[in-house]
Each structure stands twice: as C-alpha cells, then as structure tokens.
Amino acid sequence: METNPAIGVDGLRQRYGDFEAVAGISFEVAAGELFALLGTNGAGKTTTLETLEGHRNVHGGTVRVLGHDPYAERRKVRPRMGIMLQDGGFFADLTVAETIEHWRGFTPSARDRDEAIAMAGLAEKAGVRVRQLSGGQKRRLDLALALLGRPEVLFLDEPTSGMDPEARRATWDIVEDVVADGTAVLLTTHYLEEAEHLADRLAILHRGRIETSGTVAEVVAGHGDRISFRLPERLQVAELPPLHGARADVRVEGGRAVASYTLPSGTPPSGSPPSGPAADAGLQAGLYELLRWADEEAVRLDGLRVRSASLEDVFLHTAEGAAR
Ligand SMILES: Nc1ncnc2c1ncn2[C@@H]1O[C@H](COP(=O)(O)OP(=O)(O)O)[C@@H](O)[C@H]1O
Ligand SMILES: [Mg+2]
C-alpha cells in the first residue's frame, strides 16, 4: 500500500540558464485523482511534467513519484509511469496493431494487444498504417501506448490538442476510466472545458508560479456570477437598482447599451471553502431583486442573461492580472 501521494511536488524550481521557468510550486496528486495544470504558453507546465517524468533534475525543491525521486531513481519508477509523448515518433509504415505489438515487446506486464486497440477506440483501424491515421487517431494511439503497461501514474501533456470535439470526448472517456481504476493522472491542457470536465483539482500556473488552485468550484467561487440585460432607452444608469450590493456597469455591445452586474458570491458557512450552493446564493438573491424591481417599475428586461462564473473568467482574470 502506498501511503504517500502518488505525485508530490514541494517548492519545485527549474531554470534554463538565468531564466527561472518554474519558481517554487507545490502540489500533490493522489491515486485515483486527476490534477490539471493550466496556464498560458510558457507558464512552465511542460517543464514541470518533464521533471516528474525524470527527464531533468530539480534546481530546487523536491519531487516524488510513487515515493521515489524520478530523476535519481528513474529505473525504479519509469516502468510504473505512463507518458504520452507529444510526438510519438512512430514508424509510419507499421500498422496500428504492429505498433502496439512492437511496444508490447518492451513493456513489462503489458495489456493484451486487442484490448489496447479497443481502449483507444481504434479497432476499425487496427490494420491501417500509422501514416494514414488522422491527427486525433495518432494522439489516441499515443495514449494507448502510454496505457499499455497499466501505469500507476500517467502524464498527459495536452493530450487532446488538435482533436475534433468527438475525438476529444472519446479521449475523456478513456481517461476517466483510467482514473476510476486508481491511476493518478497529471494533465496539462489549453481547453478549460477539458479541465472542468476531468479535473478533481487543478492549478493555474502563470510565469512559473501557481496563481490559484483547488477544485473547479473552489477556484471559480468569488470570481463573480453575472446578470446582464439591455439598458432600456428611457432609463439612466443611476436609476438601476443595486443587486445584492452590486452596482451595474454599462457598456456598449453591438451598438447597444448593456447593463451588467457582477455579483459577489454568497457568504459560505464559516470555515468551508466557498463553493456549490452557497456560492450561488448571491446570484439567486440578485436575480430576485432585479425581477421584483422590473415588475414594480414595469421595465422590460430585453436580452436578460444570467451566467455563473466559469473557469474561463478566472483564467482570463489570472492572465490579465498578472500581465499588468
Ligand atoms: N530547453 C529550454 N531552454 C530554454 N528555455 C526553455 C526551454 N524549455 C522551455 N523554456 C522556457 O521555459 C518557459 C516554460 O516553458 P514550458 O515549460 O514549455 O511552458 P508551457 O508548457 O507551460 O508552455 C518558457 O518561457 C520557455 O520558453
Ligand atoms: Mg507545454
């Protein structure tokens, strides 16, 4: 039994010459958990993954994979890791089945060939040469190879980049099964929807630092649910009511004035992170106040929109805030 986290990162620093690419980050990933690292290009995601994969030693801090230093003890840990290569470097003339067979040759306790092919959803392509696969199919073959040895820890660096939405969904299903089987997964992605769908917890990395981390609900809470509608022509901004303490902002969208409220999240029970129903309380109260006001004043709310804060709001806010 492993009592340590499957992946442990404590104060990790990495440099390229004078440039600090990772500036002291810490997180843990447990067995059966998926942790997503998000961040703009150059944030340090790949550098972090490569360090955990044992490709480079740390410049500061410590990293542990399955209780071992992945660089110094690479041979102990590597057989228990699955790594999805960015560019698989396949032999283009081998078929899908031959490629998997080839890799099985040097993977201890490898999955059965047909099981691996089916897992990747490539059963119909088993006899097709790798050069004839689409980009998304090649990525899924990459994933099948990473999973061939039933890894306890899986590293996925932008696994669905370049996939169409259907292939992306299929890949999510595979990854969810792997997590349910108890594998610890560390994933990087540019698709916030992917993180929202898959991640148990996540961190947003910016210039080598973790700006925010937690579950999706924790990260999103407090970033403002929004209510907006077109400003009725006969009204001045000052006549709009405050909603749950928030004042309206007016901006012009498509040639029309739009009133928009960003609501603070509701007060969570003390001691617990703001998330879930408590975080929605502000939105519900604000909406109620708005509808009652509109009814009393006989105001029609054209283009009324109610939107919960999303990971995208937080992501953009983090990137903008840090760019200032
Ligand atoms: N081999 C390298 N030599 C010098 N700088 C590098 C090297 N690899 C990455 N970097 C720099 O380190 C930073 C982090 O890169 P990377 O970890 O690839 O970020 P991400 O995967 O989040 O896009 C970037 O500014 C990148 O230009
Ligand atoms: Mg990268």
Side-chain angles (χ1 to χ4, degrees):
M1 280 289 291
E2 299 275 351
T3 50
N4 293 321
I7 299 171
V9 175
D10 187 12
L12 172 65
R13 292 178 179 275
Q14 281 298 17
R15 318 181 64 87
Y16 297 107
D18 283 344
F19 175 72
E20 193 163 47
V22 177
I25 65 170
S26 304
F27 61 89
E28 291 184 348
V29 190
E33 185 180 42
L34 187 141
F35 190 90
L37 272 183
L38 306 180
T40 44
N41 283 329
K45 304 180 296 292
T46 295
T47 300
T48 302
L49 251 68
E50 286 176 356
T51 306
L52 288 163
E53 290 163 2
H55 292 306
R56 51 180 88 243
N57 202 357
V58 301
H59 272 104
T62 51
V63 298
R64 289 288 177 270
V65 176
L66 299 167
H68 297 284
D69 177 337
Y71 183 78
E73 302 171 282
R74 187 154 205 274
R75 275 204 249 161
K76 266 193 195 142
V77 202
R78 180 65 186 91
R80 300 166 69 188
M81 285 181 188
I83 299 176
M84 186 171 162
L85 302 167
Q86 279 269 299
D87 176 16
F90 303 130
F91 298 110
D93 286 329
L94 293 186
T95 65
V96 168
E98 285 164 353
T99 302
I100 288 182
E101 203 53 66
H102 175 76
W103 279 69
R104 286 183 80 249
F106 46 91
T107 304
S109 59
R111 276 176 217 277
D112 179 71
R113 184 189 75 184
D114 292 339
E115 181 195 343
I117 293 173
M119 254 189 110
L122 292 172
E124 285 164 21
K125 301 287 172 188
V128 170
R129 288 185 203 293
V130 168
R131 71 162 84 252
Q132 285 154 350
L133 297 179
S134 70
Q137 289 164 345
K138 275 190 194 135
R139 299 295 283 148
R140 271 187 288 158
L141 179 56
D142 276 331
L143 181 58
L145 296 177
L147 295 173
L148 205 53
R150 305 172 203 277
E152 291 161 74
V153 174
L154 178 65
F155 296 105
L156 301 174
D157 200 355
E158 299 183 23
T160 64
S161 59
M163 284 188 186
D164 61 42
E166 197 189 338
R168 182 166 301 136
R169 291 259 159 201
T171 305
W172 291 355
D173 289 345
I174 299 169
V175 172
E176 282 179 317
D177 286 347
V178 169
V179 175
D181 276 349
T183 300
V185 181
L186 181 59
L187 164 122
T188 76
T189 183
H190 278 298
Y191 301 104
L192 300 176
E193 199 196 340
E194 182 159 295
E196 269 172 338
H197 188 92
L198 289 176
D200 296 301
R201 289 182 305 119
L202 61 93
I204 300 180
L205 205 59
H206 192 76
R207 295 190 191 161
R209 290 193 167 77
I210 291 180
E211 295 285 335
T212 176
S213 68
T215 63
V216 173
E218 285 166 1
V219 164
V220 162
H223 276 267
D225 297 330
R226 234 165 262 158
I227 297 176
S228 63
F229 52 89
R230 286 201 283 277
L231 184 65
E233 281 179 12
R234 64 186 171 86
L235 280 185
Q236 301 294 314
V237 182
E239 295 173 89
L240 294 172
L243 298 183
H244 203 63
R247 301 225 55 107
D249 266 338
V250 175
R251 45 173 185 260
V252 179
E253 283 175 19
R256 314 223 18 191
V258 171
S260 150
Y261 292 84
T262 303
L263 299 167
S265 47
T267 315
S270 63
S272 69
S275 66
D280 293 337
L283 188 59
Q284 185 176 345
L287 189 59
Y288 179 72
E289 287 169 28
L290 176 67
L291 294 177
R292 202 177 47 186
W293 167 83
D295 200 37
E296 282 167 5
E297 304 290 322
V299 169
R300 233 178 69 182
L301 300 169
D302 286 324
L304 176 63
R305 289 200 345 174
V306 176
R307 199 164 66 79
S308 292
S310 69
L311 196 52
E312 190 172 3
D313 295 327
V314 184
F315 188 83
L316 293 175
H317 178 86
T318 304
E320 277 168 17
R324 258 181 228 130

